[in-house]
Amino acid sequence: MSSKIWIIIGMMVVTFLPRLLPFYVISKIKLSPRWRLFLTYIPYTSLGALIIPGVLQATPTLPIAGVLGLCFVCLYGWFKDGVIIPVVGSVIVAFIFMLGQA
């Protein structure tokens, strides 16, 4: 076997173990309801931390257009489910606002 295969296998093990061990350890521990609630919010806060700066920087000359698109997504997501309609709707809202400003 070439050394590249061993390097790939080594990288796989090195990246897989740090991802597997927390899940294994936490599955063996009985967490309090407060900790479970805290852990359920982590994906949403992580997504927010990744997405919101991009929304504000999407239209550098007119950042309020991105904020309006974000508001549309939040309002639509609060009352309805889905992915396509909020994404397309936020693009349309931002586009219409930018057309009105031009």
Side-chain angles (χ1 to χ4, degrees):
M1 217 184 279
S2 72
S3 63
K4 290 180 183 177
I5 296 295
W6 287 111
I7 291 172
I8 291 172
I9 291 172
M11 289 189 302
M12 180 187 75
V13 170
V14 167
T15 58
F16 183 70
L17 284 178
R19 295 174 188 191
L20 176 68
L21 286 177
F23 287 113
Y24 181 74
V25 169
I26 285 181
S27 69
K28 300 295 179 189
I29 298 172
K30 183 166 176 72
L31 296 173
S32 68
R34 176 170 268 187
W35 272 105
R36 286 193 173 275
L37 182 64
F38 172 75
L39 292 175
T40 58
Y41 289 130
I42 288 177
Y44 305 112
T45 54
S46 300
L47 279 175
L50 292 172
I51 291 172
I52 290 176
V55 166
L56 297 175
Q57 296 171 351
T59 53
T61 58
L62 203 56
I64 191 72
V67 172
L68 289 175
L70 180 66
C71 289
F72 175 80
V73 168
C74 290
L75 288 174
Y76 191 86
W78 187 264
F79 296 107
K80 300 259 184 181
D81 285 337
V83 175
I84 299 298
I85 292 176
V87 169
V88 172
S90 68
V91 170
I92 290 171
V93 166
F95 182 71
I96 289 172
F97 183 78
M98 290 181 74
L99 278 180
Q101 295 297 316

